[in-house]
Amino acid sequence: MKIISNPNQSQQQLLLERPQQKRAQVETAVKDIIQLVRDNGDQALVAFAEKFDKATLTVLQVTEEEIEQAGNQIAPELKAAIQTAYQNIYKFHEANYTKEYPVIETMPGVTCWRKSLPIQKVGLYIPGGSAPLFSTVLMLAIPAKIAGNKKVVLCSPTDADGNIHPAVLYTANLCGVTEIYKAGGAQAVAAMTHGTESIPAVDKIFGPGNAFVTKAKELAQQQGVAIDMPAGPS
């Protein structure tokens, strides 16, 4: 550990700078990842899981048994907190759900109206690692449930044992999401963009991530897959 005592103002600015990847390097790396996923499908995802997460995967989709076991692996206090957050978020989004608008006759014989329809297939990306964002599951999956999306796919990276954090699985199940895949990073976004043997292609991708995930989402948008927005700093 390097200890710095009483740094001056210029040193403080340098020390507090957020680490940044060079954009050109990120884009090149992400384009390579996307191409490998397009060419090799599940095989590429398994290879990336081993490379980046040190996990050996044989099946990408989370089983019903894994989802059931997740509920027994988290503390009752955390369960209660997640359920409280679920109720609050659900209540808010349900109240803001777009209702049917009245039909307006703008002139004799001409009627206009506006109608909201659910997106058929959506993909949710949930970061993992040292800080699994099960809160993001709530913020994304609850609106998807209320909207009535026909297919909701969730991707999240695993730990070295090949397991997605149990809090993420528990929360996803609470929100009604059962199609969960062990895939992280830009490769997960590539899979939801182009589809693989296991992971279906979707119409819109939601969720935050690092520079590589953000770049993959931007490139997905260029391929005709909608995204929510590029993730900002957190």
Side-chain angles (χ1 to χ4, degrees), residues 41-42 45 58-61 153 179 181 191 195-201:
D42 286 356
L45 297 177
T58 55
V59 178
L60 294 175
Q61 186 167 7
V153 173
E179 194 166 341
Y181 296 95
T196 70
E197 297 90 336
S198 296
I199 302 176

Side-chain angles (χ1 to χ4, degrees), residues 23-226:
R23 290 188 177 184
Q25 293 177 350
V26 170
E27 184 166 356
T28 298
V30 170
K31 284 182 175 179
D32 289 343
I33 289 171
I34 291 172
Q35 190 62 51
L36 285 169
V37 173
R38 291 185 68 178
D39 291 344
N40 302 302
D42 286 356
Q43 182 181 349
L45 297 177
V46 169
F48 283 128
E50 185 171 1
K51 178 179 180 180
F52 296 127
D53 304 320
K54 311 303 180 187
T56 301
L57 303 179
T58 55
V59 178
L60 294 175
Q61 186 167 7
V62 175
T63 65
E64 291 183 7
E65 183 180 1
E66 288 176 293
I67 295 173
E68 291 176 3
Q69 290 176 349
N72 300 321
Q73 296 172 353
I74 59 176
E77 296 81 5
L78 179 55
K79 279 187 184 180
I82 291 172
Q83 289 168 357
T84 298
Y86 174 90
Q87 293 167 0
N88 291 337
I89 296 167
Y90 194 102
K91 184 176 181 179
F92 174 82
H93 284 288
E94 185 179 38
N96 287 276
Y97 181 73
T98 303
K99 304 296 190 299
E100 290 290 337
Y101 291 93
V103 176
I104 305 298
E105 186 175 25
T106 56
M107 59 184 299
V110 178
T111 55
C112 301
W113 66 93
R114 184 168 67 179
K115 184 177 183 179
S116 297
L117 296 173
I119 300 169
Q120 293 298 304
K121 297 179 291 183
V122 297
L124 313 181
Y125 181 74
I126 309 301
S130 59
L133 298 184
F134 55 88
S135 57
T136 302
V137 180
L138 292 167
M139 297 303 293
L140 298 180
I142 290 174
K145 183 176 183 178
I146 294 171
N149 300 124
K150 300 299 182 183
K151 179 181 282 291
V152 180
V153 173
L154 187 151
C155 288
S156 188
T158 72
D159 58 20
D161 294 322
N163 299 313
I164 294 176
H165 195 282
V168 170
L169 296 182
Y170 173 79
T171 307
N173 188 50
L174 180 65
C175 296
V177 179
T178 56
E179 194 166 341
I180 306 169
Y181 296 95
K182 300 176 180 181
Q187 57 272 23
V189 176
M192 291 188 285
T193 301
H194 301 287
T196 70
E197 297 90 336
S198 296
I199 302 176
V202 301
D203 300 317
K204 187 168 183 177
I205 298 172
F206 297 80
N210 59 21
F212 296 91
V213 169
T214 299
K215 176 55 65 176
K217 287 173 64 180
E218 291 174 356
L219 295 174
Q221 192 172 33
Q222 295 175 18
Q223 297 297 314
V225 177

